[in-house]
Amino acid sequence: MDKSAFQAYDDEIQALEEEIRQLTEEYDNILQESTFFSNEEILEYIKSLPGGTQEHESLSDLKAQLERLEADLSFLTALTGLRFTSHCKKTVEKNKNRTVQKHKLSGKCYSLSFQLEFQLLEMENNEKVSAVVSDLSIIMESKDSNMSKFVSRTEEHGDLPGFFRSLSVYAEWYEHRRHTFLHFKAKYPDIVSLPEGVRGDFLILKNPKVSGFELMIVWKIHLDEEGTTTPVLDLLPKIPKQVMEQRMTTVENIPGCFRSVLRLLGIEAAIENLIHVLGSEK
């Protein structure tokens, strides 16, 4: 084989190496700038690559796999309420045994928005991979003091799995409270008021026929140091003086009765029962 033939092969190899280098750079840029694309966008990108349209069966298999992954993601979203809307990462160090990346992501858990920034160190030793989270920063939409304390503890310990587990349960209760408040406000607009809106932690019940008579239902969502979520409800009555004098014993028993009904019937039924009793008072 003459030198010109060898040169032709060498030129072709160099061209392929350059194409691989360009595709690798483009792939890295996509990972760093944005990670969320629709199935159609991914398939269109693959088709735009050299030879992409020639692998019809491979594309069909890939589309089926993407559909399965999308179904799994939908299931997890329905189960946990977590939905990530953006994610960027940047590799700051990489060698044979360790990789350091900075991550920035945002999303929602039910109706609560969150943003996270952290550094992830991945180390490989004897074919075992370990990961360490550091420089964790969390921004939460919720202004609840318990959530603020929990976020501070999570940032200190870098416990991302624990954070998402607790956030899922907390946000589910938060959403349940919001929908419950909306339900009773729409059903009994003359009796129920929400001074702080549906994102507040209390509602006011008033009897239009009894001036100055109010019942405040306070619904806190408590997060302890272990990230365990507990709903805490209580009833605070505001009673006119003349009513207090006439019905002292009855008024004093209202909060205790409400807590008993809570244990027996649950939150929605207890509030509904209280509204019916309040509406019947004259």
Side-chain angles (χ1 to χ4, degrees):
M1 186 177 292
D2 57 22
K3 291 184 179 180
S4 60
F6 278 114
Q7 184 62 42
Y9 283 121
D10 187 58
D11 292 342
E12 185 175 351
I13 291 171
Q14 290 183 9
L16 289 172
E17 289 177 343
E18 177 63 20
E19 184 176 346
I20 291 171
R21 185 189 66 79
Q22 291 177 355
L23 290 173
T24 301
E25 289 181 356
E26 186 174 353
Y27 174 75
D28 289 338
N29 290 334
I30 290 173
L31 285 179
Q32 292 178 11
E33 293 176 3
S34 178
T35 60
F36 295 97
F37 297 92
S38 67
N39 295 350
E40 291 74 14
E41 289 174 320
I42 294 174
L43 291 173
E44 286 299 322
Y45 173 74
I46 293 174
K47 290 178 182 178
S48 70
L49 298 177
T53 57
Q54 299 176 9
E55 302 292 338
H56 179 71
E57 292 184 1
S58 297
L59 287 176
S60 298
D61 293 341
L62 179 58
K63 185 175 182 180
Q65 184 178 359
L66 286 172
E67 289 174 350
R68 289 194 297 269
L69 290 173
E70 190 176 56
D72 291 342
L73 181 60
S74 297
F75 171 75
L76 289 173
T77 299
L79 184 66
T80 66
L82 286 166
R83 186 176 77 258
F84 298 104
T85 55
S86 68
H87 173 225
C88 297
K89 72 176 181 180
K90 180 180 180 182
T91 301
V92 295
E93 179 185 341
K94 187 173 184 179
N95 55 44
K96 183 178 180 181
N97 298 320
R98 55 183 274 150
T99 301
V100 180
Q101 294 177 327
K102 286 188 176 182
H103 293 258
K104 182 177 182 181
L105 61 87
S106 61
K108 281 195 170 188
C109 189
Y110 293 100
S111 62
L112 286 179
S113 299
F114 62 85
Q115 295 180 16
L116 290 87
E117 292 186 25
F118 58 93
Q119 184 167 282
L120 184 66
L121 168 62
E122 292 182 331
M123 295 174 290
E124 186 174 351
N125 185 17
N126 296 328
E127 298 184 353
K128 293 184 179 180
V129 178
S130 61
V132 178
V133 174
S134 62
D135 299 334
L136 177 60
S137 174
I138 302 172
I139 300 175
M140 285 292 305
E141 179 183 8
S142 174
K143 297 180 180 179
D144 186 284
S145 59
N146 285 317
M147 174 56 76
S148 299
K149 293 177 183 178
F150 174 70
V151 165
S152 297
R153 291 194 298 269
T154 300
E155 291 176 335
E156 181 180 351
H157 295 96
D159 184 11
L160 273 180
F163 168 74
F164 284 120
R165 284 194 300 269
S166 298
L167 175 62
S168 176
V169 179
Y170 176 91
E172 186 175 10
W173 272 109
Y174 184 95
E175 191 72 3
H176 180 43
R177 181 179 65 185
R178 190 175 73 88
H179 281 292
T180 302
F181 283 2
L182 274 172
H183 166 73
F184 285 112
K185 176 59 179 174
K187 190 173 181 180
Y188 303 103
D190 296 332
I191 296 177
V192 177
S193 64
L194 302 170
E196 294 186 355
V198 294
R199 294 183 179 273
D201 58 9
F202 69 94
L203 58 79
I204 301 290
L205 305 180
K206 296 181 180 180
N207 185 335
K209 299 176 182 179
V210 183
S211 177
F213 187 94
E214 294 183 3
L215 297 176
M216 176 188 291
I217 298 176
V218 181
W219 185 343
K220 299 287 187 180
I221 304 173
H222 180 69
L223 264 175
D224 64 16
E225 292 184 357
E226 285 74 36
T228 302
T229 301
T230 308
V232 180
L233 285 85
D234 205 355
L235 181 66
L236 304 177
K238 178 184 176 183
I239 314 296
K241 185 177 180 180
Q242 63 271 23
V243 177
M244 286 286 292
E245 293 173 349
Q246 296 171 2
R247 305 183 182 182
M248 176 65 73
T249 303
T250 303
V251 170
E252 288 178 345
N253 290 337
I254 291 177
C257 292
F258 176 71
R259 287 190 287 270
S260 297
V261 176
L262 269 176
R263 290 191 292 270
L264 290 172
L265 303 180
I267 295 174
E268 292 84 354
I271 296 176
E272 184 87 37
N273 183 268
L274 186 61
I275 292 174
H276 286 168
V277 172
L278 181 65
S280 66
E281 290 291 329
K282 298 180 180 180

